[in-house]
Amino acid sequence: MTTIALCQIPVSPDPPTNLKRVKEALARAEGADLAIFPEATLTRYGRHITELAEPLDGPFVSGLAEAAGEHGLPVIAGVFESGDDRVRNTAVALDAQGALRAAYRKIHLFDSFGAKESDLVAPGAEPVVVELAGLRVGLATCYDIRFPELFRALVDQGAELFAVIAAWGSGPLKEEHWVTLVKARALENTMWTAAVGQAPNPAESSDGYGVGRSMLVDPLGVVRADAGTGPGVQLVQVDHEWTATARATLPCLQHRVL
């Protein structure tokens, strides 16, 4: 068993406020082997991200690293990484000592539903699998969930768990899309999938980001936990023996032709 803390926090435009919320959530995650926070934990989406983006050795990631080391708990969280003309939407993976083990730059940018993330963010190019808490974790961010080929690539790199972080936008059918897609990526790859979104932030509700609905979905697409819409930290368990049972029942990865 691996215990994961789904850390569904609201996100402010102010990085120090968000770092404080991360530290509070980690204090509530006692007993977890891995803590996962949303996309854009550094600061809420908006044109200000180009001003607040930091290098990976900047104060926010350094603060995450210090907190991870203090609690002896690996952390995955979303930040905006400074670049040349545009920032990167980056998921950082820190180990239990606070060392940076991987940085995944979001490949698929949200140029949909009237938004154009690519105006501010440069896309990444490489799928990333990182070893944390004794597991090979495949990283994905928000709009990536709509692209099954990325998740197949993570399988081919040896992923044993998908960690999907998001600042999912609200709107007609959008929440339904999120739930359906997370379940589909888990089922079609017979893979435990931990998906963590921002909790709604009433103080910033006009932008529509953050629907909550952080989930743990098992390898047969069954939702084992759903955090609903409110902020909170939920501890969930990944049963690795069940993965073997599910794949014996549904050996679709063995049956791949392409």
Side-chain angles (χ1 to χ4, degrees), residues 40-224:
T41 296
L42 167 70
T43 183
R44 197 168 184 84
Y45 261 108
R47 294 202 167 272
H48 63 277
I49 66 173
T50 58
E51 301 169 5
L52 295 179
E54 300 178 359
L56 295 184
D57 59 357
F60 192 82
V61 175
S62 296
L64 289 178
E66 181 181 352
E70 179 183 343
H71 291 278
L73 183 57
V75 168
I76 295 169
V79 301
F80 293 108
E81 182 185 357
S82 50
D84 295 329
D85 56 341
R86 292 180 290 173
V87 304
R88 301 280 189 155
N89 185 340
T90 302
V92 293
L94 305 163
D95 67 17
Q97 289 72 48
L100 181 65
R101 296 294 302 275
Y104 165 67
R105 282 90 183 184
K106 185 179 181 184
I107 293 172
H108 303 98
L109 301 183
F110 185 56
D111 289 0
S112 297
F113 292 95
K116 196 167 184 185
E117 186 177 11
S118 63
D119 281 349
L120 303 174
V121 178
E126 299 295 332
V128 172
V129 174
V130 58
E131 187 164 332
L132 292 175
L135 279 179
R136 290 184 59 77
V137 182
L139 304 177
T141 302
C142 205
Y143 193 51
D144 282 333
I145 198 72
R146 296 184 183 272
F147 299 87
E149 58 272 23
L150 171 61
F151 292 82
R152 283 290 202 235
L154 296 173
V155 168
D156 289 341
Q157 289 187 22
E160 299 169 300
L161 170 79
F162 295 147
V164 184
I165 62 173
W168 202 258
S170 60
L173 297 178
K174 290 294 301 304
E175 190 173 321
E176 184 70 18
H177 291 186
W178 167 251
V179 173
T180 299
L181 289 161
V182 172
K183 292 168 65 176
R185 299 295 84 84
L187 175 57
E188 70 196 4
N189 294 291
T190 52
M191 184 76 71
W192 285 97
T193 300
V196 177
Q198 291 184 14
N201 185 344
E204 305 291 338
S205 59
S206 61
D207 61 23
Y209 290 116
V211 300
R213 300 301 301 274
S214 300
M215 294 184 291
L216 179 72
V217 182
D218 78 13
L220 291 181
V222 176
V223 177
R224 296 292 189 96

